[in-house]
């Protein structure tokens, strides 16, 4: 099952007042997500991601740097290059045109991956708790 | 017997006495008259006997004079322990025909031929023909002519080779030569004999270029291991094949026989070949009709019908399919084993196919019935159309295999027209969409849509939207008619697929757009011919 990674609603970058300065897909000296090349139906050659694998680092104009993680295990199919040329879509349309990456988990792991995530309801409960606790 | 000459005499005598049947003897004498082989073999036996009797004395003289020096004379009775001696220098088994003539004749009347293992004996006679025809009749095929194919066990080639070496040596002693190619082929002679009989019994002619095939596979398990020595003698001819059970295929055996040296062959194989205990057996008699092709165009009126069956992990996700609704009736009428459905492109489950429909072709594999008149095809079309309101077919007709190529051409090259019902988030007015009508040859870059990305390779497709026509409905809806290049993803052109199809309706209108309904209005392929 294809997965599209996007910024969560509550992400600091999507809160008002934040401007994006730069987006960098070079996450280490040897690894750039931009160099990911897949071929064929089985997506051979794809970089394999674990939950904590960084996809990109985004710097905001107020000096903060945010690392965006994959959060799921699977093959990296593509990263969104449109946000490099047009960072505004990341903030304006984070769930559609401003997506970060497309990941394809292993067929056998599909179910366990989905089960490890929060449903919409569960997420909203988490946000609610955050508001009330702070 | 005018077809046998003096030079044939030693061959006839030799082979008759070593257990070879009359028809094989004729083959080794290079007799090419088909009619001769069709005589009942008791008659042929008598004739050969006569032939030998006619110049008894003459033959004897010839033998003694020429044959004496180089070869050993070993009696037929000493075959058992004499085997090694015989093969030691490739010597012949020569029996003075005067004494053993009667025994030899008796023996060959009773024995199974040591060269053809019964193929040119009982296995081309009336009883066998009846057996084959019975199988054909019970299989209930419709045919107007037939092709008969026969598969012979590889050891026959080995035995033929041995018999040829035997005869060649004998001829050599008389200063004559016999090329292997001059000998009449076993399969050819078999077909000369059996074709007319099959033809008569089945009531139809034999025709090489025809659809209906009767195939018989013969086996002779008793002698299966006779080829094995070739594997040690010519190992490079025998490669283990992935699917076949035995590496001793006919081709491999023939190749090895061409390579192997005479001395090596004679070391491992008795010359003349031993008489077998039993005949070949027909292990398989099968009938097969070559495939017929039915083509037409289909309309799809349901938004809940896949083109091919949708089954995941053995569970059917949606009932039926376009393919099944059409082929069900064809399978019943043509009585085929199976079918292969193909079409000029396809549409999603939730997309209707309107207009004059999408071309399709169905290959019916091994059909029992193959002849249908135009009237009958019309009737079949009606039956299909009456059976379901989800699909309708038109122009149903029989076509050739080549015609399929034209249909597939259409898939890649021809244009299609669509009608899409589009929703927009922000309000639109008539003027906002009017400009779309003027857009011509719009170039799109479409990355492989996310909805198919799990089973397709990632790529970028350049496609062209030739023309568009908009129909305003209300502030959030309009209908768009488009004519596009084959292979364009329409849904993605409307909603943009996360910005992976550019440009898209959303980007053109500067809004967020989505597609509510899609219909195929036409598939611009002019095949199959309209009826």
């Amino acid at each position: 099952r294809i997965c599209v990674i996007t910024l969560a609603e509550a992400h600091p970058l999507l809160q008002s007042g934040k401007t994006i300065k730069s987006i960098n897909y070079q996450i280490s000296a040897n690894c750039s997500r931009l160099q990911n090349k897949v071929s064929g139906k089985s997506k051979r050659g794809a970089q394999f991601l674990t939950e904590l694998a960084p996809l990109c680092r985004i710097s905001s104009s107020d000096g903060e740097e945010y690392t965006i993680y994959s959060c799921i295990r699977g093959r990296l199919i593509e990263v969104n290059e449109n946000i490099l040329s047009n960072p505004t879509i990341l903030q304006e349309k984070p769930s559609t045109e401003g997506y970060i990456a497309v990941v394809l988990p292993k067929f056998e792991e599909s179910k366990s991956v989905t089960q490890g995530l929060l449903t919409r309801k569960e997420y909203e409960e988490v946000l609610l708790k955050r508001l009330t606790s702070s | 017997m005018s077809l046998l000459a003096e030079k044939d005499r030693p061959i006839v005598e030799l082979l008759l006495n070593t257990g070879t049947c009359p028809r094989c003897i004729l083959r080794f004498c290079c007799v090419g008259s088909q009619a001769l082989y069709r005589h009942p073999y008791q008659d042929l036996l008598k004739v050969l006997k006569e032939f030998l009797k006619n110049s008894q004395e003459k033959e004897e003289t010839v033998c003694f004079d020429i044959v004496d020096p180089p070869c050993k004379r070993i009696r037929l009775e000493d075959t058992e322990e004499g085997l090694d001696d015989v093969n030691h220098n490739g010597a012949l088994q020569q029996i003075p025909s005067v004494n053993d003539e009667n025994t030899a004749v008796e023996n060959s009347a009773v024995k199974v031929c040591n060269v053809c293992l019964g193929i040119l004996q009982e296995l081309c006679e009336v009883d066998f023909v009846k057996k084959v025809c019975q199988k054909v009749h019970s299989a209930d095929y419709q045919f107007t002519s037939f092709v008969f194919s026969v598969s012979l066990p590889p050891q026959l080639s080995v035995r033929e080779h041995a018999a040829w070496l035997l005869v060649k040596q004998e001829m050599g002693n008389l200063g004559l030569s016999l090329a292997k190619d001059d000998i009449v082929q076993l399969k050819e002679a078999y077909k000369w004999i059996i074709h007319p009989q099959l033809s008569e019994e089945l009531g139809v002619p034999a025709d090489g270029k025809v659809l209906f095939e009767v195939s018989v596979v013969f086996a002779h398990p008793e002698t299966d291991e006779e080829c094995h020595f070739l594997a040690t003698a010519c190992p490079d001819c025998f490669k283990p094949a992935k699917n076949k059970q035995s590496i001793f295929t006919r081709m491999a055996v023939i190749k090895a026989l061409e390579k192997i040296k005479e001395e090596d062959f004679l070391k491992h194989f008795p010359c003349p070949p031993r008489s077998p205990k039993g005949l070949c057996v027909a292990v398989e008699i099968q009938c097969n009709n070559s495939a017929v092709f039915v083509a037409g165009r289909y309309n799809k009126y349901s938004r809940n019908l896949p083109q091919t069956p949708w089954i995941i992990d053995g569970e059917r996700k949606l009932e039926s399919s376009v393919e099944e609704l059409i082929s069900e009736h064809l399978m019943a009428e043509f009585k085929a084993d199976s079918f292969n459905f193909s079409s000029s492109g396809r549409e999603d489950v939730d997309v209707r196919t309107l207009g004059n429909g999408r071309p399709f072709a169905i290959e019916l594999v091994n059909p029992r019935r193959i002849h249908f008149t135009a009237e009958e095809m019309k009737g079949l079309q009606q039956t299909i159309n009456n059976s379901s309101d989800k699909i309708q077919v038109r122009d149903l007709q029989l076509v050739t295999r080549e015609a399929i190529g034209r249909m597939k051409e259409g898939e890649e090259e021809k244009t299609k027209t669509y009608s899409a019902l589009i929703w927009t988030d922000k309000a639109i007015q008539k003027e906002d969409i009017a400009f779309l009508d003027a857009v011509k040859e719009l170039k799109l870059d479409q990355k492989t849509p996310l909805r198919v990305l799990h089973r397709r390779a990632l790529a970028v497709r350049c496609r062209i939207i030739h023309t568009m026509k908009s129909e305003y409905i209300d502030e959030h809806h309009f209908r768009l008619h488009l004519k596009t290049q084959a292979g364009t993803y329409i849904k993605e052109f409307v909603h943009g697929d996360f910005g992976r199809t550019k440009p898209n309706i959303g980007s053109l209108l500067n809004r967020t757009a989505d597609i509510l309904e899609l219909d195929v209005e036409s598939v611009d392929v002019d095949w199959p011919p309209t009826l």
Side-chain angles (χ1 to χ4, degrees):
Chain A
R1 298 244 162 144
I2 283 282
C3 300
V4 182
I5 316 291
T6 63
L7 287 183
E9 263 170 49
H11 198 280
L13 281 170
L14 298 180
Q15 306 320 308
S16 58
K18 287 278 188 184
T19 345
I20 296 179
K21 191 170 74 179
S22 66
I23 302 174
N24 194 0
Y25 279 113
Q26 182 92 36
I27 54 160
S28 71
N30 297 331
C31 180
S32 163
R33 297 305 181 197
L34 290 174
Q35 281 166 359
N36 188 52
K37 286 235 176 337
V38 302
S39 69
K41 238 191 262 186
S42 46
K43 322 297 186 283
R44 267 168 301 138
Q47 291 169 5
F48 194 81
L49 303 170
T50 54
E51 289 90 334
L52 294 175
L55 289 173
C56 63
R57 287 184 227 280
I58 305 180
S59 312
S60 53
S61 50
D62 58 8
E64 295 278 355
E65 198 193 60
Y66 302 91
T67 306
I68 315 296
Y69 299 99
S70 170
C71 306
I72 58 169
R73 289 169 59 83
R75 288 183 198 234
L76 176 63
I77 305 298
E78 67 180 40
V79 289
N80 190 356
E81 293 187 35
N82 293 330
I83 59 178
L84 286 178
S85 46
N86 187 8
T88 40
I89 55 167
L90 177 52
Q91 291 176 306
E92 285 173 17
K93 295 191 172 159
S95 304
T96 54
E97 275 169 70
Y99 71 95
I100 307 285
V102 176
V103 179
L104 181 65
K106 280 194 201 159
F107 185 73
E108 313 82 65
E109 289 181 27
S110 216
K111 254 215 168 120
S112 57
V113 162
T114 357
Q115 279 163 2
L117 303 172
L118 299 175
T119 62
R120 173 110 210 131
K121 249 203 185 139
E122 288 167 347
Y123 178 62
E124 282 170 5
E125 277 170 32
V126 167
L127 290 186
L128 209 58
K129 274 205 202 113
R130 264 194 222 163
L131 282 176
T132 52
S133 62
S134 61
Chain B
M1 181 109 98
S2 53
L3 289 156
L4 281 184
E6 265 312 299
K7 64 168 177 62
D8 299 322
R9 199 174 306 275
I11 306 178
V12 175
E13 179 162 350
L14 178 60
L15 292 178
L16 209 52
N17 292 332
T18 56
T20 305
C21 75
R23 291 183 179 125
C24 281
I25 294 176
L26 290 180
R27 290 195 301 118
F28 277 83
C29 294
C30 309
V31 173
S33 155
Q34 296 187 24
L36 214 55
Y37 290 83
R38 294 182 196 136
H39 287 290
Y41 90 64
Q42 298 304 337
D43 291 356
L44 291 173
L45 201 51
K46 251 189 248 165
V47 171
L48 289 177
K49 228 176 68 185
E50 286 290 311
F51 176 70
L52 287 179
K53 237 195 271 178
N54 283 346
S55 27
Q56 204 76 325
E57 291 92 11
K58 241 214 253 169
E59 189 221 51
E60 242 178 86
T61 331
V62 167
C63 258
F64 278 102
D65 283 348
I66 294 173
V67 168
D68 217 356
C71 70
K72 272 192 218 169
R73 282 159 166 269
I74 293 174
R75 292 176 185 279
L76 192 59
E77 300 90 70
D78 297 326
T79 319
E80 295 306 302
E81 38 101 19
L83 208 57
D84 289 310
D85 288 359
V86 171
N87 293 336
H88 175 59
N89 65 351
L92 306 168
Q93 294 179 358
Q94 194 79 348
I95 303 102
S97 23
V98 180
N99 296 338
D100 294 340
E101 188 205 339
N102 290 326
T103 347
V105 166
E106 256 170 57
N107 286 347
S108 39
V110 165
K111 268 194 224 159
V112 175
C113 176
N114 65 342
V115 175
C116 71
L117 301 177
I119 299 281
L120 292 183
Q121 297 174 287
E122 262 139 74
L123 293 169
C124 54
E125 304 276 312
V126 175
D127 287 338
F128 183 70
V129 172
K130 278 207 155 55
K131 185 171 162 197
V132 172
C133 292
Q134 210 172 54
K135 195 73 199 288
V136 173
H137 286 310
S138 67
D140 198 26
Y141 277 82
Q142 187 185 44
F143 54 92
T144 51
S145 54
F146 72 99
V147 162
F148 183 64
S149 72
V150 59
S151 167
L152 301 171
Q155 54 269 40
L156 285 182
S157 310
V158 180
R159 283 168 168 264
E160 183 98 355
H161 192 90
W164 170 59
L165 288 179
L166 183 71
V167 172
K168 194 174 77 144
Q169 203 142 46
E170 170 75 358
M171 297 294 274
N173 295 335
L174 300 170
L176 298 165
S177 69
L178 177 66
K180 200 174 185 190
D181 290 339
D182 291 338
I183 303 172
V184 175
Q185 291 293 306
L186 177 58
K187 226 186 223 187
E188 212 181 327
Y190 184 65
K191 289 196 177 176
W192 288 344
I193 305 166
I194 205 167
H195 263 155
Q197 293 183 72
L198 280 176
S199 202
E200 196 180 319
E201 190 70 23
L202 293 174
V204 294
D207 185 343
K209 46 180 164 60
V210 114
L211 313 166
F212 181 62
E213 183 190 23
V214 179
S215 59
V216 180
V217 176
F218 286 113
H220 198 256
E222 183 194 320
T223 55
D224 269 344
E225 295 181 353
E226 284 182 355
C227 317
H228 290 14
F229 74 92
L230 288 170
T232 32
C234 299
D236 52 325
C237 291
F238 297 96
K239 296 183 198 98
K242 321 117 202 205
N243 295 324
K244 307 217 187 266
Q245 298 159 316
S246 172
I247 55 168
F248 297 104
T249 60
R250 259 187 90 73
M251 286 317 294
V253 168
I254 290 170
K255 214 170 142 201
L257 288 173
E258 279 168 15
K259 284 183 90 175
I260 193 172
K261 289 199 210 96
E262 206 171 306
E263 311 91 66
D264 292 333
F265 182 87
L266 293 169
K267 259 188 240 161
H268 292 98
F269 197 80
C271 181
R274 275 181 277 239
S275 289
K277 294 195 202 95
L279 290 178
C280 277
V281 192
V283 288
E284 232 178 76
I285 301 176
Q286 272 189 348
C287 299
N288 188 71
N289 237 336
S290 49
V292 292
F293 294 83
V294 176
R297 297 180 85 111
Y298 72 81
N299 283 100
K300 176 169 170 288
Y301 299 117
S302 163
R303 289 198 188 279
N304 228 346
L305 187 70
Q307 202 201 49
T308 55
W310 194 347
I311 303 173
I312 303 208
D313 293 333
E315 205 188 305
R316 194 183 268 271
K317 294 289 171 183
L318 269 186
E319 208 185 292
S320 196
S321 60
V322 172
E323 169 181 298
E324 286 166 290
L325 289 174
I326 300 177
S327 56
E328 190 184 328
H329 300 277
L330 293 179
M331 286 289 280
E333 280 297 311
F334 283 77
K335 300 204 200 1
D337 283 347
S338 63
F339 68 88
N340 287 319
F341 181 91
S342 57
S343 61
S344 183
R346 49 191 176 160
E347 60 285 309
D348 289 340
V349 173
D350 56 354
V351 175
R352 297 186 304 178
T353 309
L354 309 175
N356 64 346
R358 184 183 296 278
F360 69 89
I362 299 186
E363 178 187 354
L364 294 155
V365 179
N366 199 13
R368 304 297 187 278
R369 268 199 71 188
I370 54 171
H371 292 297
F372 286 83
T373 61
E375 281 306 304
E376 286 173 310
M377 289 304 286
K378 260 211 192 117
L380 199 43
Q381 180 173 301
Q382 198 57 50
T383 310
I384 298 175
N385 288 339
N386 291 341
S387 70
S388 171
D389 52 2
K390 293 187 180 174
I391 55 134
Q392 291 285 283
V393 297
R394 71 181 71 203
D395 302 336
L396 199 68
Q397 55 195 272
L398 287 165
V399 294
T400 64
R401 190 185 284 271
E402 289 68 47
I404 309 295
R406 286 220 51 203
M407 177 187 76
K408 282 301 179 181
E409 232 176 66
E411 188 168 339
E412 307 283 304
E413 299 165 21
K414 308 294 185 172
T415 59
K416 323 275 158 90
T417 64
Y418 301 89
S419 166
L421 179 59
I422 302 177
W423 166 89
T424 58
D425 61 344
K426 289 194 283 219
I428 46 166
Q429 304 307 321
K430 280 212 184 89
E431 311 83 67
D432 298 322
I433 59 169
F435 78 96
L436 291 172
D437 297 4
V439 176
K440 305 279 177 248
E441 310 304 308
L442 178 65
K443 280 209 191 92
L444 304 181
D445 283 319
Q446 301 196 284
K447 278 199 193 157
T448 308
L450 290 177
R451 64 185 168 100
V452 300
L453 194 49
H454 61 283
R455 54 183 166 88
R456 290 274 166 79
L458 181 65
V460 180
R461 287 164 192 73
C462 296
R463 290 292 185 265
I464 301 189
I465 309 253
H466 297 296
T467 59
M468 289 190 278
K469 180 107 183 54
S470 60
E471 255 175 61
Y472 185 83
I473 298 177
D474 62 38
E475 286 193 335
H476 292 279
H477 301 92
F478 70 100
R479 196 168 273 285
L480 186 66
H481 299 274
L482 336 76
K483 181 166 174 180
T484 74
Q485 186 184 0
T488 312
Y489 283 96
I490 307 300
K491 292 179 181 174
E492 276 66 19
F493 169 60
V494 175
H495 61 61
D497 192 34
F498 290 67
R500 297 165 75 256
T501 287
K502 289 193 280 206
N504 53 73
I505 292 291
S507 67
L508 292 172
L509 297 180
N510 202 10
R511 287 163 171 75
T512 301
D514 206 351
I515 185 167
L516 299 179
E517 267 177 23
L518 181 61
D519 292 328
V520 178
E521 302 255 293
S522 72
V523 176
D524 308 324
V525 179
D526 56 9
W527 180 92
T530 320
L531 296 178

